Amino acid sequence: MKALSQRRRHPLAAVALLLLGLLVTGGLYAAVSGANEAQAASTAYTADDEDQGEKLFIANCATCHGMDASGSANGPSLIGVGAASVDFQVGTGRMPMAMQGPQAQQKPVQFTEEQTSQLAAYVASLGAGPAVPDAEIVDAAGGNAAEGGELFRVNCAMCHNAAGAGGALTQGKFAPSLEGVSEKHIYEAMVTGPQNMPVFNDANVSPEDKQSIIAFLKNIEANGSPGGAELGSLGPVSEGLFIWTAGLGLVIAFTIWLTSRSS
């Protein structure tokens, strides 16, 4: 017993316990954060989809992302980004990029839905990642718009504006307006984190909460601005500018009218 007690008090015992704790914590975190990646494995893509997707990738994407999608000086690696990332970037026209810039600009879609699905199938085969969401979970009718509004204001409004109108970021980047964006692409953006956007995986924001955020965005999109002209939905900034400009214009007009009357 004395020898066992001495071993427990060995100077390296604390280091060993710390390493063990880090290993256990890291393993648990990996298991929880990998929930989204596990979804990708259940996506039903055929071998033909992957083959056709690889051909499309080599012809249209390999210049920047590398022949094996491992990345290059002109584009990041796509291994492990998942089918959802491809479906969002290609499905919104951001990829392939027309030119290098601070961020990928939305433009007319270059591929059909079938080709986009094939590209997603190929990239998904390279490594586990978020899958394209089911239609049921992105249906705005199934969400709670009131709860979604609270979640949006806490997690998204600092970049996208409280009304989802978008806003400026640093170094020429910007958070785009969310008006007119499809439910599927909103969900995919949350789970993949395009551009400067953080990733909201299921451990941070559950699928049901994401659905509620979608419901909130579609609700304000359908109802418009009940208070009158939106003025870009920028709040007191645009309202103050309008009042200042209109007020100053009225003062100048009134001054001109007075001087014309006195003469």
Side-chain angles (χ1 to χ4, degrees), residues 48-135:
D48 183 62
D49 288 334
E50 295 175 8
D51 291 340
Q52 294 300 319
E54 183 177 10
K55 294 176 182 177
L56 289 168
F57 181 89
I58 293 173
N60 299 277
C61 316
T63 303
C64 294
H65 295 287
M67 293 296 292
D68 56 356
S70 60
S72 71
N74 298 317
S77 170
L78 298 183
I79 298 174
V81 301
S85 181
V86 177
D87 190 75
F88 172 81
Q89 296 287 355
V90 178
T92 59
R94 288 177 167 84
M95 292 291 163
M97 289 182 68
M99 59 182 293
Q100 292 289 343
Q103 70 182 54
Q105 300 281 349
Q106 188 172 0
K107 62 184 186 301
V109 179
Q110 305 296 305
F111 297 96
T112 65
E113 290 187 10
E114 181 182 13
Q115 290 173 326
T116 301
S117 179
Q118 291 170 344
L119 279 168
Y122 170 66
V123 172
S125 71
L126 302 176
V132 176
D134 295 332

Side-chain angles (χ1 to χ4, degrees), residues 6-258:
Q6 289 175 343
R7 282 198 295 272
R8 283 204 303 267
R9 291 196 298 268
H10 192 280
L12 296 178
V15 177
L17 287 173
L18 179 61
L19 290 174
L20 180 61
L22 289 173
L23 287 173
V24 172
T25 304
L28 290 174
Y29 178 80
V32 173
S33 62
N36 285 340
E37 296 183 357
Q39 296 176 4
S42 62
T43 304
Y45 292 122
T46 65
D48 183 62
D49 288 334
E50 295 175 8
D51 291 340
Q52 294 300 319
E54 183 177 10
K55 294 176 182 177
L56 289 168
F57 181 89
I58 293 173
N60 299 277
C61 316
T63 303
C64 294
H65 295 287
M67 293 296 292
D68 56 356
S70 60
S72 71
N74 298 317
S77 170
L78 298 183
I79 298 174
V81 301
S85 181
V86 177
D87 190 75
F88 172 81
Q89 296 287 355
V90 178
T92 59
R94 288 177 167 84
M95 292 291 163
M97 289 182 68
M99 59 182 293
Q100 292 289 343
Q103 70 182 54
Q105 300 281 349
Q106 188 172 0
K107 62 184 186 301
V109 179
Q110 305 296 305
F111 297 96
T112 65
E113 290 187 10
E114 181 182 13
Q115 290 173 326
T116 301
S117 179
Q118 291 170 344
L119 279 168
Y122 170 66
V123 172
S125 71
L126 302 176
V132 176
D134 295 332
E136 182 179 354
I137 197 61
V138 301
D139 184 7
N144 185 315
E147 292 181 2
E150 294 181 10
L151 290 165
F152 184 86
R153 287 186 287 273
V154 170
N155 296 283
C156 319
M158 65 285 295
C159 293
H160 288 284
N161 179 283
L169 301 175
T170 59
Q171 299 179 345
K173 299 180 180 181
F174 62 93
S177 169
L178 300 178
E179 183 177 0
V181 181
S182 72
E183 291 93 334
K184 180 178 69 168
H185 289 152
I186 294 173
Y187 193 101
E188 289 171 341
M190 286 190 277
V191 297
T192 61
Q195 308 297 151
N196 279 7
M197 184 171 170
V199 174
F200 296 99
N201 60 27
D202 292 349
N204 297 325
V205 179
S206 69
E208 292 74 22
D209 286 344
K210 292 184 179 75
Q211 188 176 28
S212 293
I213 291 174
I214 293 171
F216 165 71
L217 291 172
K218 292 305 171 184
N219 180 62
I220 61 175
E221 182 179 310
N223 293 325
S225 176
E230 295 181 355
L231 298 178
S233 297
L234 298 177
V237 176
S238 56
E239 292 168 2
L241 178 63
F242 174 78
I243 293 172
W244 172 263
T245 304
L248 187 61
L250 287 173
V251 169
I252 294 173
F254 188 66
T255 303
I256 295 173
W257 179 76
L258 285 178

